[in-house]
Amino acid sequence: MKASELKKVLEHFGTVEVTEEHGRFVAHVVSQQFEGVEDGERQYRVWERVREQLGLQASVDIEFIFTYSPSEWDRLVRGEYLTEAQD
């Protein structure tokens, strides 16, 4: 699997960034579809899509897929999540 293949599959949800290190992939997905949706359901949706489009074997190459709503992403970019975690 290539980073571009994973990115294309995950773009179904929204904005995607995929990085690769030592043959393992990490993806960040920002999607309006995740607004108000719990983390477990988000993970279920993205992993289901990966398995459907790339097959079960592809999951071996993926380290993690982070999922954010646009409002969460904005807060993360501003560093607000880091502040909350320290409180």
Side-chain angles (χ1 to χ4, degrees):
M1 180 174 62
K2 297 179 182 177
S4 59
E5 293 173 299
L6 179 58
K7 182 177 181 179
K8 183 176 179 178
V9 166
L10 294 175
E11 283 177 337
H12 164 81
F13 296 101
T15 304
V16 178
E17 178 184 309
V18 176
T19 57
E20 177 185 1
E21 188 171 322
H22 306 293
R24 303 277 292 166
F25 300 96
V26 173
H28 292 81
V29 181
V30 181
S31 174
Q32 186 63 42
Q33 295 178 43
F34 298 147
E35 199 70 59
V37 177
E38 293 187 19
D39 289 337
E41 177 63 23
R42 295 175 188 191
Q43 290 295 312
Y44 175 79
R45 291 178 189 181
V46 296
W47 285 99
E48 180 178 49
R49 177 136 179 104
V50 166
R51 286 189 297 272
E52 287 175 353
Q53 299 294 313
L54 299 173
L56 187 58
Q57 183 60 34
S59 63
V60 173
D61 297 331
I62 301 169
E63 187 76 30
F64 199 77
I65 301 173
F66 294 91
T67 56
Y68 306 97
S69 68
S71 62
E72 291 168 334
W73 182 253
D74 289 344
R75 290 176 65 198
L76 183 68
V77 168
R78 290 192 307 260
E80 291 179 21
Y81 278 137
L82 297 177
T83 302
E84 288 177 5
Q86 294 172 350
D87 290 341

